[in-house]
Structure formats: structure tokens, C-alpha cells
């Protein structure tokens, strides 16, 4: 792996920050002040679901319990996403300081990082980093000299299951169970890890908090748009000259992004990973943000030579493997959708059946128990709709036009 | 398994349980430690974990089967996981996989005769900007070419 630290540019996440600064700031401000700045910032969860972070922390802070937890969701399993990897390896100060601020605000004594098993190679460095924080009184007892503020962080590994990124499946896994999503409600903010109030936050969300506490909510919201405040990290991969992590303000269009990463002859852009949607050329003027396309930031670029049925098949195979199998719409549905893709590939389909599968996809979107099954039909539906000309009309039989 | 081997495995697991705590919540870390050392969690190990954590062995088995990085069947001394997800797929996973299979004389999903390497595919490793990527145990290798991948695996003991 390439591990020279690149100097990255960005207005918010990649702006200047010195380890410990936001923790030290807690000496001057109260937990209500933190909540106020967060509300002012308009920050929404960066893990994909986009729930307002101030609300989540307010609810966890208000819940009554002798124990509370803040969990950093470092499961990053969505295909095409690697921004959390970059934050954890190159900017651990943002992630961990954000967790300390979270502990302070919601009243947790323990923070847990759920680190995907695929990232085990980071573990030694991260543990060392935490030890240094302990030495410098940024973790432990009376942190930064704040009387009675005791908080520590531990890291627990995942073991290769995409669904464990879903917050209730993650908690199941932390408790030593199969990573099967729970029914919600109750929500983790009331009944989370070991039954205690728990805030699960994405790596990037916590990194944003670190800056907001120090620089203020209004500083944050000057970037982005009215409904999508601040900036976002995008993980860009696929057919472009400059793949990597980019910090861009919300409101950026797909074309602007493509230009930045020097993509040529682009035919399709998958936004949001396998569970996201696939856009064709006519849609490149659409904007990234909660007003239009909300996303956790995975951007995969496909050039004119790519076979969209091959792409779709790869996504559907992913979901068939990663479905936890708990509920029927997702377990059976994804298998049926994959079979449909294979039929198209072989040229053994009827339009009637493919339309039935699209309807099945819509049923899965509403009837599945967790976000995996609710979002897995997105690429099926969007690829077949947005690339129908190439897939169905230019093909000669099953060869998909090639 | 010989009695002496059993005893030493029991001792090893007892140490892990001591480190992580004798609670259900320690199950994953304990299983991960066993997996790391032995590349799989044998039936005997499962029973010992169940006994020490005071849960039913079936529970332990059911957790192992859920996670793709935990195995209940023996694997080679090293586990290779080549990323099969979209970006790595587009950028040459297939030719890397073929080269590895030719060189080792086994297919993905199999273990070499000398028990040195088990080949598996994995879903997105989070290295999409540097694909094709693979894990050898917990180490990650990126920007693989067929030649580079084979060279890396030849060095694995
Ligand atoms: C199948 C599935 C996988 C998910 N994977 C992740 C993940 O890897 N990282 C993450 O932060 N959130 C993931 N989420 C979203 C989490 O459930 C949760 O919304 C998020 O961690 C909350 O943090 P945030 O509010 O800071 O975004 C996933 C959701 C689903 C349904
Ligand atoms: S939607 Fe899929 S992953 Fe989620 S609970 Fe149902 S079967 Fe499991």
C-alpha cells in the first residue's frame, strides 16, 4: 500500500487542525454549547443515512442511564468507499478527538471503534496513537484537566461482513452475535450497546465535529448549500486519471467532479456504491447533496468501453453474498435479481419478466428489514432504466452489444 | 488431536479469555485471536470457547459461520484474499487471479498441497483507488500486476 502522507486540500475536513485542540476547548464550553454549535452547523451523518448529528447526540445525552457509549463506525464496506481509511491512517487526530468530544457531550465513559477486519493492518498504529493520547492526558481520567471527565477508547475488529456497518448489526457484532440487524425502534440512542444509550457515528462525521467544536457551527455552514451544509469527502475510483479522496462542497455537480478527477469518455457514474444509483450522461448535471443525490461519497466512474451488465452483475453478486439472510425480501429478492441479470447476459429474458423484477425491487425497497435490502435494488433499477438502450436495443441477443 | 495438543490449545484459549474477559461480548475478539493463530476455529476450540464463556457450542458455531473472515474448516498457513469488487474487477483482478492460480497450481477456494496458501476472494477491501488489491493474512498489497502478485506470494512462508 502507498503510505506516504499526501498533503490534501479542503475547506473543512482537511483544514488545519492540531491534535488535542478541540479537546482542550472543552475546558471553556459546556455540553450544551457543543450541541448548540452542532445544531448551528447543520451537520448530518456522513455514513450514508444523513441523520442530523446534533439530534442524535441530544437524544443520547438526554437518555437516562449509568452507562452510555459512543461508537465510531469504521466498517466502511460500501464498494468504492475508502475515505474513512484515509482519515484513520492520515488524520487519526480528527477521528479520536471527535470521539472524545462525543463522550463529553453525551456523557459516555467509553468509546468503541468498530474497525472492519479488512483494516486490521492499521490496528497497531491506531493502538499506539491511543496510548500516546493517554500519556498526554487526552484520554483517561480528568481529561485535559477537566475535573471528572473520564473517557477512554478501545478498538474492536469486525470479521468481514458488510452488513455489520448497519448500526444495529454492528452492535450485535460487538456483543458477540451474528451481525443481524435489529428491529428499530428501539433506537440505539435509547437501547444500544448492552442495552445502554449509544451513539453510532461515522468516521467522517466525528472528524467534522472536531473542526466544528473549534471553529463554530456558522463557520461550517458557510460551505455547501442551505440544506446540505459543509463539505463532503468523496472516494473516487474507476476510469479516471486521478482516483483518490476529494473534499468538495456539497452542491458540486457530477460533471464538475469528473473534470477534477480527469475522467475521459465517461459513460456512467455510480454514486453511493453498490447500494447507490447509476447515472448516465444526461444526468451529469445533477448535484451532490441532500437536495438531489445524497450519498456517503462513493463515486465509481465507468468509461465508454465498460459493459454495464457486467457492472450490475458484480453489484448483485455482492448483495447475494452479503445479505444476512434474516428477512425474505432481501434473501430471496437479491438472488432473483442476480438471476435476472444473468438471463440478460445470456440473452434469455423477456421484457415482461424483467419488468416484474423491477417491481420486485420496489417491493424489496419497502419490505426489507434493514438498509441493505432496502437499497440493493437501486443499482438494478437504475442501470436497467438508464442504460436500457445499450443493454436491450443495441445488443444482438445476449452479448450486450459487444 | 493428541491430548498434549488439546491441553496446549485449551491453555491458549484460556489466556485469550483472560485478556478479553469471560463474557459473551468477548466472543468475537477471542474467535479472532484463534483464527489469527490457527487460521480456523476447530470443533474442539469451539467447545472450549463455549465452555469458558458459558454459552452453547452451537452459538459459537453459528457466529463463526456468519463472518467470512472466521472459518470452521482448516485453511492453509496463509490466507490470501483478492478483492473481487467492481473497481478491482475492472482494473485487472481477473488476470491477477489467473496468474496466481497458474503459479500455485490451485484454484480460488482451494489450498495448496503443501498447506502454504489458501486462496479466497473478498469483497471490497477499501483500496479502490489503488487496485487491484489483496490481503495476505492482515497485510494489504495494492496496484497488483500478475507478476507482482506472484512475486509477493512466492515470498510467503
Ligand atoms: C448495509 C449497511 C451498511 C452500512 N455501512 C456503514 C459503514 O460502513 N459505515 C458507516 O458509517 N455507516 C454505515 N451504515 C449506516 C449506519 O447504519 C449508520 O447510519 C451510521 O453509522 C450512522 O452514523 P452517521 O450518523 O455519523 O452517519 C450502513 C448502513 C447499512 C444499511
Ligand atoms: S434486509 Fe437483508 S441484510 Fe437486512 S435484515 Fe433483511 S436479510 Fe438481513
Amino acid at each position: 500500500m502507498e503510505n506516504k502522507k499526501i498533503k490534501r486540500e479542503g475547506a473543512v475536513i482537511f483544514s488545519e487542525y492540531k491534535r488535542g485542540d478541540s479537546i482542550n476547548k472543552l475546558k471553556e464550553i459546556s455540553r450544551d454549547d457543543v450541541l448548540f454549535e452542532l445544531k448551528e452547523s447543520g451537520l448530518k451523518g456522513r455514513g450514508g443515512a444523513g441523520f442530523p448529528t446534533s439530534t442524535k447526540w441530544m437524544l443520547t445525552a438526554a437518555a437516562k442511564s449509568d452507562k452510555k457509549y459512543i461508537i465510531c463506525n469504521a466498517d466502511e464496506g460500501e464498494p468504492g468507499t475508502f475515505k474513512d481509511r484515509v482519515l484513520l491512517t492520515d488524520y487519526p487526530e480528527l477521528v479520536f478527538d471527535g470521539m472524545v468530544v462525543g463522550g463529553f457531550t453525551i456523557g459516555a465513559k467509553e468509546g468503541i471503534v468498530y474497525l472492519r477486519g479488512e483494516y486490521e493492518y492499521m490496528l497497531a498504529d491506531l493502538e499506539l496513537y491511543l496510548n500516546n493520547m493517554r500519556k498526554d492526558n487526552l484520554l483517561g481520567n480528568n481529561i485535559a484537566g477537566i475535573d471528572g471527565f473520564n473517557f477512554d477508547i478501545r478498538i474492536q475488529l469486525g470479521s468481514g461482513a458488510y452488513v455489520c456497518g448497519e448500526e444495529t448489526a454492528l452492535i450485535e457484532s460487538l456483543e458477540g452475535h451474528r451481525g443481524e440487524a435489529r428491529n428499530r425502534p428501539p433506537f440505539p440512542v435509547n437501547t444500544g450497546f448492552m442495552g445502554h444509550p449509544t451513539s453510532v457515528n461515522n468516521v467522517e462525521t466525528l472528524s467534522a465535529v472536531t473542526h466544528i467544536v473549534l471553529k463554530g457551527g456558522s463557520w461550517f455552514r458557510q460551505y455547501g448549500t442551505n440544506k446540505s451544509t459543509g463539505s463532503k469527502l468523496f472516494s473516487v475510483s474507476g476510469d479516471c486519471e486521478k482516483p483518490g479522496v476529494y473534499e468538495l462542497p456539497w452542491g458540486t455537480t457530477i460533471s464538475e467532479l469528473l473534470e477534477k478527477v480527469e475522467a475521459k469518455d465517461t459513460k456512467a457514474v455510480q454514486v453511493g456504491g453498490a447500494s447507490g444509483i447509476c447515472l448516465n450522461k444526461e444526468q451529469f448535471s445533477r448535484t451532490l447533496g441532500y437536495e438531489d443525490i445524497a450519498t456517503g461519497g462513493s463515486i465509481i466512474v465507468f468509461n465508454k468501453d465498460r459493459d454495464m451488465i457486467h457492472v450490475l452483475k458484480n453489484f448483485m453478486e455482492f448483495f447475494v453474498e452479503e445479505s444476512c439472510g434474516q428477512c425474505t425480501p432481501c434473501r430471496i429478492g437479491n438472488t432473483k435479481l442476480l438471476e435476472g441479470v444473468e438471463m440478460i447476459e445470456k440473452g434469455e429474458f423477456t421484457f415482461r419478466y424483467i419488468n416484474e423484477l423491477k417491481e420486485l425491487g420496489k417491493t424489496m425497497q419497502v419490505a426489507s428489514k434493514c438498509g441493505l435490502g432496502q437499497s440493493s435494488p437501486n443499482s438494478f433499477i437504475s442501470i436497467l432504466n438508464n442504460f436500457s438502450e445499450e443493454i436491450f436495443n443495441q445488443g444482438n441477443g445476449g452479448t450486450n452489444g459487444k | 488431536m493428541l491430548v498434549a495438543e488439546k491441553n496446549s490449545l485449551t491453555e491458549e484459549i484460556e489466556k485469550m479469555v483472560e485478556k478479553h474477559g469471560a463474557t459473551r461480548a468477548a466472543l468475537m475478539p477471542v474467535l479472532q485471536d484463534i483464527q489469527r493463530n490457527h487460521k480456523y476455529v476447530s470443533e474442539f476450540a469451539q467447545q472450549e470457547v463455549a465452555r469458558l464463556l458459558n454459552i452453547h457450542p452451537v452459538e459459537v458455531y453459528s457466529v463463526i459461520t456468519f463472518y467470512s473472515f472466521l472459518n470452521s474448516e482448516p485453511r492453509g498457513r496463509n490466507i490470501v484474499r483478492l478483492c473481487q469488487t467492481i473497481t478491482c474487477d475492472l482494473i485487472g483482478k481477473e488476470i491477477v487471479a489467473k496468474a496466481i492460480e497458474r503459479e500455485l497450481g490451485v484454484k480460488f477456494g482451494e489450498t495448496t498441497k503443501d498447506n502454504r496458501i489458501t486462496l479466497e476472494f473478498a469483497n471490497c477491501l477499501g483500496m479502490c483507488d489503488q487496485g487491484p488489491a489483496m490481503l495476505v493474512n492482515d497485510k494489504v498489497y495494492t496496484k497488483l500486476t500478475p507478476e507482482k502478485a506472484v512475486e509477493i506470494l512466492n515470498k510467503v512462508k
Side-chain angles (χ1 to χ4, degrees):
Chain A
M1 177 190 164
E2 299 185 335
N3 50 10
K4 55 178 187 296
K5 179 166 169 172
I6 317 168
K7 175 89 184 110
R8 293 188 176 80
E9 282 174 17
V12 179
I13 299 284
F14 294 144
S15 66
E16 281 302 313
Y17 179 74
K18 201 167 109 274
R19 187 195 69 158
D21 278 359
S22 68
I23 299 177
N24 282 313
K25 176 90 179 181
L26 300 175
K27 288 189 250 190
E28 304 156 23
I29 58 176
S30 68
R31 41 155 83 175
D32 284 341
D33 293 333
V34 177
L35 290 171
F36 177 83
E37 292 302 335
L38 277 184
K39 188 154 189 0
E40 180 69 19
S41 75
L43 174 65
K44 293 180 182 170
R46 301 307 200 215
F51 190 79
T53 308
S54 64
T55 311
K56 191 183 279 187
W57 283 16
M58 211 134 58
L59 292 169
T60 325
K64 293 214 162 29
S65 174
D66 54 334
K67 279 186 186 160
K68 294 181 189 179
Y69 296 93
I70 179 142
I71 292 175
C72 170
N73 188 343
D75 200 51
E76 189 162 63
E78 188 64 53
T81 315
F82 45 90
K83 59 172 180 89
D84 294 345
R85 177 198 92 212
V86 166
L87 287 171
L88 287 162
T89 47
D90 291 356
Y91 305 85
E93 66 278 11
L94 296 178
V95 185
F96 292 138
D97 288 10
M99 284 182 82
V100 176
V101 171
F104 175 84
T105 310
I106 68 170
K109 293 205 167 27
E110 190 178 347
I112 308 170
V113 179
Y114 187 88
L115 182 69
R116 67 193 307 238
E118 291 83 347
Y119 290 170
E120 188 175 345
Y121 63 86
M122 293 179 193
L123 190 60
D125 283 350
L126 293 177
E127 296 281 11
L128 186 72
Y129 195 91
L130 290 176
N131 261 335
N132 285 330
M133 283 178 77
R134 286 181 196 111
K135 275 185 205 145
D136 298 336
N137 192 220
L138 296 172
L139 282 177
N141 291 336
N142 305 318
I143 291 172
I146 302 168
D147 214 21
F149 177 31
N150 308 335
F151 181 78
D152 212 324
I153 297 175
R154 69 178 173 92
I155 304 175
Q156 183 162 327
L157 285 169
S159 272
Y162 165 68
V163 71
C164 284
E166 196 282 335
E167 57 184 14
T168 62
L170 185 155
I171 290 170
E172 285 288 313
S173 179
L174 280 178
E175 293 179 358
H177 297 278
R178 294 161 68 90
E180 289 172 349
R182 295 176 178 172
N183 281 320
R184 307 178 332 156
F187 292 96
V189 289
N190 290 309
T191 313
F193 182 58
M194 299 310 234
H196 298 291
T198 302
S199 174
V200 181
N201 292 102
N202 173 256
V203 171
E204 184 186 347
T205 311
L206 292 164
S207 305
V209 167
T210 299
H211 286 292
I212 291 168
V213 165
L214 204 61
K215 303 169 190 173
S218 44
W219 165 82
F220 183 81
R221 68 173 316 129
Q222 63 176 310
Y223 303 100
T225 69
N226 253 341
K227 278 200 184 128
S228 314
T229 55
S231 63
K232 177 81 190 79
L233 297 188
F234 292 95
S235 315
V236 188
S237 70
D239 298 315
C240 62
E241 292 299 313
K242 293 182 170 166
V245 172
Y246 291 81
E247 177 174 355
L248 300 170
W250 282 122
T252 302
T253 66
I254 302 287
S255 326
E256 286 165 350
L257 189 145
L258 288 174
E259 197 170 317
K260 234 187 162 71
V261 303
E262 297 180 17
K264 282 182 208 85
D265 296 325
T266 306
K267 171 165 81 178
V269 176
Q270 179 81 18
V271 184
S275 65
I277 55 168
C278 197
L279 306 176
N280 63 25
K281 264 190 180 156
E282 276 90 74
Q283 299 162 316
F284 290 174
S285 57
R286 293 183 62 179
T287 56
L288 297 157
Y290 300 104
E291 297 90 337
D292 190 5
I293 317 172
T295 169
S298 163
I299 306 280
I300 310 172
V301 184
F302 303 111
N303 72 22
K304 63 178 186 358
D305 298 325
R306 301 301 184 183
D307 175 348
M308 295 317 287
I309 279 296
H310 180 85
V311 170
L312 178 56
K313 188 176 169 190
N314 189 284
F315 289 153
M316 294 323 299
E317 285 170 341
F318 173 83
F319 287 120
V320 168
E321 278 187 21
E322 297 294 346
S323 164
C324 85
Q326 230 193 133
C327 69
T328 320
C330 170
R331 186 184 62 242
I332 310 284
N334 281 310
T335 316
K336 289 281 166 210
L337 298 188
L338 175 59
E339 279 170 17
V341 176
E342 288 166 345
M343 285 174 176
I344 298 173
E345 198 177 33
K346 291 189 207 124
E348 293 166 358
F349 66 95
T350 60
F351 285 105
R352 197 176 73 193
Y353 186 62
I354 296 302
N355 286 332
E356 277 173 26
L357 287 181
K358 285 189 202 164
E359 286 307 311
L360 171 69
K362 287 181 194 154
T363 307
M364 291 165 65
Q365 288 172 333
V366 291
S368 295
K369 183 170 173 181
C370 86
L372 191 150
Q374 288 160 9
S375 59
S376 63
N378 293 351
S379 20
F380 184 88
I381 296 172
S382 63
I383 288 183
L384 293 189
N385 285 346
N386 292 339
F387 300 89
S388 62
E389 183 60 24
E390 136 181 5
I391 292 170
F392 297 115
N393 297 338
Q394 290 168 16
N396 40 2
T399 52
N400 187 28
K402 299 215 155 192
Chain B
M1 209 187 279
L2 298 170
V3 180
E5 273 176 42
K6 277 194 178 178
N7 283 342
S8 81
L9 185 57
T10 299
E11 237 171 69
E12 189 185 334
I13 297 173
E14 278 169 353
K15 281 207 190 98
M16 293 167 180
V17 170
E18 208 169 289
K19 181 170 147 212
H20 298 295
T23 65
R24 173 75 196 231
L27 182 58
M28 291 291 290
V30 169
L31 292 177
Q32 286 160 347
D33 281 358
I34 300 173
Q35 172 77 32
R36 198 175 295 118
N37 292 353
H38 301 274
K39 306 298 167 197
Y40 85 116
V41 187
S42 66
E43 211 180 307
F44 177 73
Q46 292 171 36
Q47 282 165 9
E48 288 301 87
V49 171
R51 180 176 65 80
L52 292 164
L53 298 186
N54 202 15
I55 49 183
H56 199 281
V58 168
E59 286 274 304
V60 177
Y61 178 73
S62 122
V63 166
I64 293 172
T65 54
F66 184 86
Y67 295 94
S68 61
F69 284 11
L70 298 175
N71 305 314
S72 58
E73 297 296 325
R75 293 291 196 277
R77 288 195 299 281
N78 301 282
I79 301 182
V80 171
R81 297 190 175 95
L82 181 65
C83 179
Q84 65 180 353
T85 307
I86 192 68
T87 315
C88 284
D89 176 84
L90 295 178
I91 208 166
K93 160 217 107 190
E94 204 55 43
I95 52 165
V96 171
K98 290 233 165 73
I100 293 175
E101 287 183 337
R102 278 197 311 273
E103 211 73 17
L104 296 183
V106 288
K107 300 266 172 230
F108 272 77
E110 297 174 352
T111 301
T112 55
K113 286 212 182 60
D114 58 2
N115 207 37
R116 195 168 63 92
I117 290 175
T118 297
L119 295 178
E120 291 177 3
F121 284 115
N123 286 330
C124 191
L125 297 179
M127 286 292 161
C128 325
D129 54 338
Q130 300 170 36
M134 71 177 173
L135 288 174
V136 179
N137 303 315
D138 65 349
K139 293 239 160 18
V140 68
Y141 296 91
T142 61
K143 295 196 171 170
L144 297 173
T145 58
E147 208 178 354
K148 186 171 158 191
V150 165
E151 209 174 284
I152 291 163
L153 294 189
N154 282 342
K155 284 189 196 134
V156 169
K157 293 260 153 37

